[in-house]
Amino acid sequence: MTDTATGPVAAEIAARLTAALAPTALEVVNDSASHRGHMGDDGSGESHFTVIIESAAFDGKSRLERQRMVNRALGDIMVDRVHAMAIRASAPGGR
């Protein structure tokens, strides 16, 4: 499993996704620098992310169901600390 999380929010994102979805691959990419000064930039340096996750839990699920699973796993992080998140979720083998 790859984990590129840095910073406390990114690390918590990775920990919650790992606990809830047992990913076989996980990347948490902090995109906040690209959004500095834009709406939603809270100055923390951890407001915008891309999550690339592969998990057997996604097998047979639609793209929308996978995104909902990720959002449920993240819970209050998505409301309180993250302004925007791009999610690329797949099952092993690209299913």
Side-chain angles (χ1 to χ4, degrees), residues 3 5 7-23 26-29 46-53 58 65-89:
D3 179 357
V9 175
E12 188 168 350
I13 289 169
R16 288 188 185 196
L17 292 175
T18 298
L21 300 169
L26 175 62
E27 286 185 69
V28 178
V29 181
E46 289 193 285
S47 58
H48 294 72
F49 293 91
T50 297
V51 169
I52 304 162
I53 182 170
F58 298 137
E65 289 172 311
R66 293 171 185 193
Q67 290 182 350
R68 286 179 175 160
M69 290 169 72
V70 169
N71 286 329
R72 271 193 305 274
L74 295 176
D76 64 323
I77 288 177
M78 295 303 297
V79 175
D80 298 336
R81 294 184 272 165
V82 172
H83 175 71
M85 181 175 296
I87 300 169
R88 295 194 330 226

